[in-house]
């Protein structure tokens, strides 16, 4: 077959350049959101079949609901006591697996007051579909 | 000339505007990073790339399907058919 | 090739045969059966999700069992066997050998599948097709989980046996005049995908054994209560099953490499670039497994490594797309059903690949992980690309297998319904994921956007169902009553065919094909 491959090489060059752009952008944003600020309040999030428990720094516990203050930074320490769950606040793009025997962290700062959904994103059995909680962000 | 113009518009939207806005966003001190905005902005930038490339590929395919179908009046036997090599 | 129906044989003669075309036929019939079983399960799931509250399925347990069985069926009982079917039919012919290298092993590899299917279908495990511990260790009900584990064990051995067979057939039994570089791309696709299976599958086999002993309580590899690590299982699982995605997609691309040049009436644009892309894909398929696990608490560095590994697979896939488009360029394309499925498959392959790039961009995992976005994304691969390639190839092989033509008009109707249905179903699922709907949920709260999009998805699934029923009817009717095919040139393409379709099956007796 007599043909030249220059078009394929240009095409591959464009594809590779786009991939480098995608990778660099993703790396940069991940770097920006990765580090929790030092003054972030720690909240221990525990998943179990099939509800969420939240423990604040002052020791108060909440089950099935979480009260936070607007424009404060919070760092979640997510864990589980039975099977894998996944702590998720879709509205604020907060997501982290709750895995027994491990503590995973994720942080965010709510910049909107209101009532938001918390749900489980990792299949965890019978009532996985209804493993929900409410997040209340209060304006102070 | 217009091609260069279009290219510069694409480059501006994809690279320069986000860079500039990022630089200014960093200056507002005392506030926490808006995780939601960062991630969704990245998502929409990625989608811009995906849809531009997808548009080019899909457009090429649709044009090929239209142009090289055997029922197209302009279609002619391929060189390989003529030589009986295919 | 073979005229299965022109010379009817007693069914046991086909069942106990070791000839590659007979084994291929068994694989094909079984895989299509499994496709309809798995499809029926998918339809049940979609009917259930049509609206909040219980619709068709009365309890969450049944729903969980159904989605597990759906995924397991489609991957292990439809896609893998259907690829093996095509390989059995064509690989020996393409390397110019009389049969597969080990015919008896070939038949054994097939006959391991139905018992495994029985285990999976009778057990109906409920832990998802990935069986993540600790759920699968401490919470999943017996004996369903054990039956699933044994079924998958058998299927793993079966795919290792058939992979050994393909590798030996291609490397050792090819005609001495045929250099490896000249072996057709379809056979190359089976060579590369079989090598991936041989490298990847033992890991999962080990993980399954560990899972079983964990369930029996004699070990605690993955059970944190006794000091095990559930993440270790996920690494072992995805080390096998990310490459497995390529095991499924590479033969489908090989099938497109067979269909597209034929119907464009041009040779493939670049054989060497196709071979190179297969080899690169086989290598980089092992560099990306942990992108399934970004949310398990991986460090920034780990995530970066696996993001780069994932992005590295894109240029090779893009080379295939380029090869297809460049082959069609300046062709005189006949849009018979197989070609429509191949071209539709390329379009959806691109969409699936673009979605994959978005998935692997690390921060975007916080949006898409375990949401319906992922469901839409991988269905674009497994249905939109792999099943499209396979179904197109079933249409392509149909005249050679049965000696009769399928009905072209109904074939086109099937393609349009499948394509439109796939777009409606799977693109809507992407958006549903962006709205935050998790995967594997039996019921969902009454959120307006979720309800309307779920209904759209279900309607799309019904469109696919109608297409598949037409496919089934077309196959059955045409097998018996279709127009006899001109085996020299069933699709009216002119020119000479590349492989000797008149490969003789010894059981057909004298003078038969």
């Amino acid at each position: 077959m007599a043909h030249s491959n220059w078009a394929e090489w240009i095409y591959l060059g464009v594809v590779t350049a786009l991939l480098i752009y995608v990778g660099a952008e993703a790396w940069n944003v991940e770097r920006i959101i990765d580090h929790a600020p030092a003054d972030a309040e720690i909240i221990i999030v525990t998943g179990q079949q099939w509800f969420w428990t939240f423990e604040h720094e002052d020791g108060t516990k909440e089950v099935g609901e979480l009260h936070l203050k607007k424009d404060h930074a919070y760092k979640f320490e997510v864990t589980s006591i039975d099977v894998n769950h996944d702590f998720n606040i879709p509205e604020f793009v907060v997501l982290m697996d709750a895995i027994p025997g491990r503590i995973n962290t994720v942080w965010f700062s709510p910049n909107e007051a209101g009532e938001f959904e918390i749900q489980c994103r990792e299949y965890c059995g019978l009532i996985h579909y209804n493993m929900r909680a409410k997040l209340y962000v209060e304006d102070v | 000339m217009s091609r260069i113009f279009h290219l510069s518009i694409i480059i501006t939207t994809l690279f320069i505007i986000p860079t500039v806005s990022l630089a200014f966003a960093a200056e507002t001190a005392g506030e926490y990073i808006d995780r939601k905005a960062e991630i969704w902005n990245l998502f929409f930038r990625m989608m811009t790339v995906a849809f531009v490339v997808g548009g080019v590929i899909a457009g090429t395919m649709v044009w090929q399907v239209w142009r090289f179908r055997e029922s197209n009046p302009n279609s002619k036997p391929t060189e390989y058919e003529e030589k009986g090599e295919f | 090739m073979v005229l299965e129906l022109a010379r009817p044989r007693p069914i046991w003669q086909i069942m106990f045969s070791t000839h590659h075309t007979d084994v291929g036929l068994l694989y094909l019939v079984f895989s299509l059966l499994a496709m309809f079983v798995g499809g029926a399960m998918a339809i049940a799931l979609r009917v259930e999700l049509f609206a909040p509250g219980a619709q068709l399925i009365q309890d969450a347990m049944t729903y969980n069992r159904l989605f597990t069985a759906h995924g397991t069926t489609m991957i292990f009982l439809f896609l893998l066997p259907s690829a093996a079917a095509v390989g059995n039919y064509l690989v020996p012919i393409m390397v110019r050998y009389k049969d597969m290298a080990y015919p008896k092993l070939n038949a054994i590899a097939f006959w391991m599948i139905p018992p495994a299917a029985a285990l999976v279908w009778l057990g109906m495990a409920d832990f998802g097709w990935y069986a993540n511990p600790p759920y699968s260790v401490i919470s999943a009900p017996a004996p369903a989980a054990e039956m699933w584990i044994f079924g998958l064990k058998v299927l793993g051995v079966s795919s290792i046996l058939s992979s050994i067979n393909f590798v030996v057939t291609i490397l050792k039994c090819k005609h001495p005049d045929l250099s490896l570089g000249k072996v057709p791309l379809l056979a190359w696709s089976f060579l590369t995908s079989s090598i991936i299976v041989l490298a990847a599958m033992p890991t999962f086999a080990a993980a399954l054994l560990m899972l079983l002993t964990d369930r029996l309580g004699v070990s605690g590899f993955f059970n944190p209560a006794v000091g095990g690590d559930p993440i270790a299982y996920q690494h072992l699982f995805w080390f096998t099953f990310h490459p497995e995605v390529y095991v499924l997609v590479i033969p489908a691309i090989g099938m497109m490499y067979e269909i597209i040049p034929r119907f464009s009436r041009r040779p493939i644009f670049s054989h060497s670039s196709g071979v190179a892309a297969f080899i690169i894909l086989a290598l980089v398929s092992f560099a990306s497994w942990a992108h399934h696990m970004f949310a398990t608490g991986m460090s920034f560095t780990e995530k970066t490594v696996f993001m780069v590994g994932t992005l590295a697979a894109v240029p090779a896939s893009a080379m295939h797309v380029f090869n297809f488009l460049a082959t069609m360029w300046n062709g005189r394309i006949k849009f018979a059903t197989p070609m429509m499925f191949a071209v539709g498959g390329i379009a959806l392959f691109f969409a699936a690949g673009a979605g994959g790039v978005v998935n692997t961009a690390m921060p975007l995992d916080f949006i898409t992980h375990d949401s319906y976005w992922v469901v839409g994304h991988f269905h674009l691969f497994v249905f939109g690309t792999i099943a499209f390639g396979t179904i197109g190839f079933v249409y392509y092989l149909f005249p050679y297998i049965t000696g009769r033509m399928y009905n072209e008009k109904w074939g086109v109707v099937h393609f349009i319904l499948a394509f439109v249905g796939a777009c409606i179903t799977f693109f809507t699922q992407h958006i549903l994921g962006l709205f935050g709907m998790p995967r594997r949920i039996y019921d969902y709260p009454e959120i307006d956007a979720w309800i309307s999009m779920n209904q759209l998805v279900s309607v799309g699934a019904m469109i696919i169902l109608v297409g598949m029923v037409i496919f089934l009817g077309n196959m059955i009717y045409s097998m018996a009553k279709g127009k006899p095919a001109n085996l020299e040139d069933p699709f009216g393409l002119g020119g000479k065919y590349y492989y000797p379709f008149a490969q003789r099956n010894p059981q057909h007796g004298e003078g038969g094909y």
Side-chain angles (χ1 to χ4, degrees), chain A residues 18 21-22 25 28 32-33 37 39 71 73 91-93 106-107 109 111-112, chain B residues 14-15 18 22 32-36 38-40 42 45-46 49 53 57 80:
Chain A
L18 283 172
Y21 164 71
V22 167
E25 280 274 26
N28 188 39
I32 292 170
I33 60 172
D39 60 345
D71 292 330
E91 182 61 32
F92 293 107
V93 209
V106 61
W107 81 276
S109 163
N111 54 2
E112 237 181 292
Chain B
L14 284 184
F15 299 93
L22 210 66
Y32 299 113
I33 287 150
D34 187 350
R35 174 189 181 87
K36 184 178 163 182
E38 292 288 345
I39 295 177
W40 279 104
L42 175 69
R45 286 202 294 279
M46 299 286 111
V49 177
V53 178
I57 301 262
Y80 303 94

Side-chain angles (χ1 to χ4, degrees), chain C residues 54-370:
Chain C
Q55 308 297 322
L56 177 71
I57 303 165
Q58 293 308 317
D59 62 317
M61 192 45 134
T62 314
Y63 182 90
N64 298 343
R65 290 179 188 278
L66 272 176
F67 72 65
T68 303
H70 165 72
T72 311
T73 304
M74 286 306 199
I75 292 169
F76 297 103
L77 305 176
F78 163 46
L79 292 175
L80 279 178
S82 67
V86 171
N88 266 295
Y89 266 113
L90 290 184
V91 166
I93 296 173
M94 286 183 160
V95 299
R96 291 194 257 150
Y97 191 61
K98 59 185 186 323
D99 201 334
M100 295 290 282
Y102 307 114
K104 288 197 187 85
L105 193 71
N106 198 23
I108 290 170
F110 169 75
W111 282 108
M112 290 172 86
I113 295 178
L119 283 169
V120 170
W121 288 340
L122 295 176
M124 297 295 271
D126 74 320
F127 41 40
W129 80 283
Y130 61 170
N132 262 1
Y135 182 79
S136 57
V137 172
I138 61 174
S139 217
E146 278 77 13
M147 290 169 81
W148 186 90
I149 290 171
F150 277 108
L152 269 277
K153 194 89 201 156
V154 174
L155 288 170
V157 175
S158 155
S159 72
I160 287 176
L161 294 183
S162 82
S163 298
I164 291 174
N165 221 342
F166 279 126
V167 172
V168 176
T169 310
I170 295 165
L171 292 183
K172 286 288 166 201
C173 299
K174 69 180 168 56
H175 195 277
D177 292 348
L178 183 70
S179 71
L180 198 56
K182 291 261 189 289
V183 166
L185 285 170
L186 182 71
W188 259 105
S189 74
F190 278 93
L191 180 61
T192 42
S193 69
S194 302
I195 289 173
I196 300 177
V197 168
L198 292 182
M201 197 53 94
T203 312
F204 179 58
L208 272 179
L209 272 186
M210 290 152 91
L211 198 62
L212 184 68
T213 54
D214 271 15
R215 277 186 66 84
L216 294 172
V218 297
S219 67
F221 296 109
F222 309 130
N223 187 356
V226 290
D229 183 6
I231 301 299
Y233 175 86
Q234 295 195 23
H235 277 292
L236 295 174
F237 182 87
W238 289 116
F239 182 78
T240 298
F241 284 103
H242 193 75
E244 188 82 0
V245 174
Y246 294 86
V247 172
L248 301 173
V249 84
I250 285 176
I253 290 174
M255 294 175 210
M256 292 176 184
Y257 271 130
E258 192 59 30
I259 292 171
I260 286 172
R262 191 84 62 232
F263 286 83
S264 304
R265 299 180 168 103
R266 295 183 80 230
I268 194 77
F269 170 73
S270 169
H271 187 273
S272 52
S273 122
V275 170
F278 279 141
I279 294 173
I280 297 171
L281 269 187
L283 292 176
V284 295
S285 69
F286 287 97
S288 52
W289 79 88
H291 67 211
H292 297 264
M293 302 163 54
F294 279 175
T296 56
M298 293 176 81
S299 71
F300 186 30
T301 316
E302 285 174 290
K303 282 191 188 183
T304 308
V305 168
F306 284 104
M307 177 179 76
V308 172
T310 310
L311 293 176
V314 177
S317 314
M319 280 164 82
H320 288 305
V321 172
F322 185 89
N323 228 342
F324 292 141
L325 298 189
T327 304
M328 284 159 66
W329 201 270
N330 271 331
R332 192 163 71 87
I333 308 169
K334 185 180 179 90
F335 280 99
T337 314
M339 186 62 176
M340 289 188 173
F341 271 100
V343 174
I346 303 170
L348 296 178
F349 180 54
F350 173 80
V357 170
V358 170
N359 282 341
T360 198
M362 301 175 274
L364 302 186
D365 191 70
F366 294 112
I367 301 178
T368 59
H369 180 78
D370 262 347

Side-chain angles (χ1 to χ4, degrees), chain A residues 3 11 30 97 119 121-123, chain C residues 126 130 269 318 369-370 436:
Chain A
H3 64 262
Y11 166 85
E30 181 78 10
D97 273 6
Q119 60 186 9
R121 272 257 183 120
E122 181 70 55
Y123 176 67
Chain C
D126 74 320
Y130 61 170
F269 170 73
H369 180 78
D370 262 347

Side-chain angles (χ1 to χ4, degrees), chain C residues 38 64 91 128 227 377 388 392 401 495 513:
Chain C
N64 298 343
V91 166
H377 159 70
F388 266 44
I401 296 175
Y513 274 113

Side-chain angles (χ1 to χ4, degrees), chain A residues 24-132:
Chain A
E25 280 274 26
W27 183 85
N28 188 39
V29 173
E30 181 78 10
R31 184 184 59 82
I32 292 170
I33 60 172
D34 197 39
H35 292 290
D39 60 345
E41 225 176 277
I42 290 173
I43 294 176
I44 298 170
V45 179
T46 310
Q48 67 193 88
Q49 289 173 324
W50 290 275
F51 59 94
W52 295 104
T53 313
F54 307 97
E55 188 180 340
H56 293 265
E57 263 182 356
D58 58 7
T60 50
K61 280 194 178 178
E62 296 183 83
V63 176
E65 52 181 44
L66 174 61
H67 290 82
L68 301 178
K69 293 190 211 84
K70 189 174 168 234
D71 292 330
H72 278 57
Y74 295 95
K75 184 172 166 184
F76 297 108
E77 293 190 343
V78 188
T79 188
S80 159
I81 56 174
D82 42 35
V83 303
N84 294 355
H85 302 276
D86 189 313
F87 174 68
N88 176 221
I89 313 170
E91 182 61 32
F92 293 107
V93 209
V94 171
L95 176 137
M96 190 49 67
D97 273 6
I99 289 164
R102 278 189 180 226
I103 296 170
N104 293 330
T105 58
V106 61
W107 81 276
F108 88 124
S109 163
N111 54 2
E112 237 181 292
E115 196 185 311
F116 306 97
E117 288 285 330
I118 294 172
Q119 60 186 9
C120 176
R121 272 257 183 120
E122 181 70 55
Y123 176 67
C124 57
L126 196 61
I127 319 210
H128 163 59
Y129 69 92
N130 207 16
M131 185 170 165
R132 298 182 161 272

